[in-house]
Amino acid sequence: MIGIMCAMREELEPILEKVKIEKEIDYARNRYYIAKYKDLDLVLAYSKIGKVNAATTATILIEKFGAKKILFSGVAGAIDSDLKIGDLIIATKTCQHDVDLTVFGYEPGFIPESKVFFECDEKLNNIAKNVAKKLGIKLKEGIIASGDQFIHSKERKEWIAKTFKASAIEMEGGAVGCVTWTLGVPFFMLRSISDSAEEGAGVDFDEFLEESSKISAEFLIEMLNEIVNEKMS
Ligand code: SAH
């Protein structure tokens, strides 16, 4: 069973259009879709925005629905200047930029008995890179930082860039990274850029959410095609 999650309805809908939905299950104030894509068994959901919602959904996908890997698709704000609206990025690792226990001498993002960075699965990242190469799609790899804030300020963005060496910002990846690390499940994070995370980002986000969501969803489907091919070979 492969778990596929997004944060928002707009991000999940273009994926749902491409799979065969077999069952819809309402659970924990959310809807989970049991589906097939070719011969792959899938469970899909959008979590709602933010780290707590994302952690809850990731846990349910794994613990209740038996997901053996988690693939995330969605949109993000750009940090690196070579990332333009619509560009794709996969995370090497994710972190929580809003965790602050620095007064106790810990580095930003660190929680005792946990860690700052949660690594994404190398095998899944390699599949993504193969897909990008085959299709001639530009795909960046980098750290993705998450927090329960929509970032729309150059100053805050620069702080996150400097502190975590992050390439993009969103609101869920660090939470899913923590859950999948805790439960020992491979995690893949894909995002298409929706805004610059600077002043005016809110306006861009509203304009490009749908288009960027589709770009991410289409790439995710190509990943599934590659996973099917690899299983068959
Ligand atoms: N306009 C939406 C709220 C969007 S919140 C509404 O009214 O419902 C932004 C979502 O996109 C989050 O899920 C987050 O993961 C991602 N995101 C895109 N750009 C972002 C940015 N600049 N800062 C933080 N998250 C961003």
Side-chain angles (χ1 to χ4, degrees):
M1 185 69 93
I2 299 177
I4 295 180
M5 66 177 285
C6 305
M8 300 176 68
R9 180 194 304 274
E10 290 86 346
E11 293 167 328
L12 187 64
E13 263 168 3
I15 302 174
L16 288 179
E17 281 167 17
K18 298 276 167 65
V19 302
K20 189 166 168 281
I21 298 169
E22 296 189 326
K23 214 168 162 188
E24 296 182 19
I25 299 169
D26 287 334
Y27 181 75
R29 295 185 185 274
N30 213 348
R31 179 159 297 182
Y32 291 82
Y33 299 86
I34 308 294
K36 274 246 175 215
Y37 182 76
K38 298 186 175 171
D39 59 355
L40 297 177
D41 289 309
L42 308 177
V43 52
L44 307 97
Y46 74 88
S47 60
K48 301 188 283 283
I49 294 162
K51 293 196 297 168
V52 175
N53 287 323
T56 304
T57 297
T59 305
I60 290 171
L61 286 171
I62 296 164
E63 292 283 295
K64 182 173 169 65
F65 293 102
K68 297 285 181 263
K69 34 174 95 67
I70 298 284
L71 276 50
F72 195 113
S73 169
V75 301
I79 294 184
D80 289 353
S81 56
D82 61 342
L83 279 174
K84 306 291 179 220
I85 287 172
D87 285 355
L88 285 164
I89 175 165
I90 55 172
T92 50
K93 43 193 187 176
T94 61
C95 63
Q96 304 180 72
H97 67 71
D98 57 352
V99 164
D100 185 354
L101 297 173
T102 52
V103 71
F104 302 105
Y106 300 114
E107 59 187 306
F110 182 75
I111 292 176
E113 297 185 45
S114 183
K115 51 189 193 166
V116 177
F117 293 106
F118 303 100
E119 288 76 20
C120 292
D121 189 64
E122 232 184 274
K123 259 200 228 156
L124 290 167
N125 278 1
N126 283 336
I127 293 176
K129 284 187 259 182
N130 284 343
V131 168
K133 211 164 142 194
K134 262 194 212 168
L135 301 178
I137 294 170
K138 183 179 143 203
L139 179 70
K140 193 177 167 103
E141 229 188 339
I143 294 170
I144 298 187
S146 314
D148 284 321
Q149 302 151 0
F150 183 84
I151 304 299
H152 56 106
S153 126
K154 197 168 192 305
E155 199 187 338
R156 180 71 186 159
K157 165 174 154 168
E158 278 171 1
W159 182 83
I160 294 168
K162 189 176 75 198
T163 310
F164 298 98
K165 311 245 172 317
S167 297
I169 313 174
E170 35 81 320
M171 301 178 67
E172 294 84 18
V176 182
C178 183
V179 167
T180 48
W181 171 66
T182 305
L183 295 175
V185 170
F187 170 42
F188 172 74
M189 167 59 71
L190 171 71
R191 296 273 181 170
S192 173
I193 299 302
S194 54
D195 57 84
S196 66
E198 295 183 6
E199 287 69 12
V203 176
D204 279 350
F205 177 90
D206 284 341
E207 189 177 342
F208 295 108
L209 168 64
E210 218 170 292
E211 206 175 307
S212 295
S213 293
K214 265 191 207 148
I215 291 171
S216 184
E218 275 162 21
F219 192 89
L220 193 92
I221 295 290
E222 293 297 345
M223 285 269 307
L224 296 182
N225 286 331
E226 187 70 18
I227 291 171
V228 172
N229 289 343
E230 286 193 3
K231 259 177 78 176
M232 287 192 304
S233 61

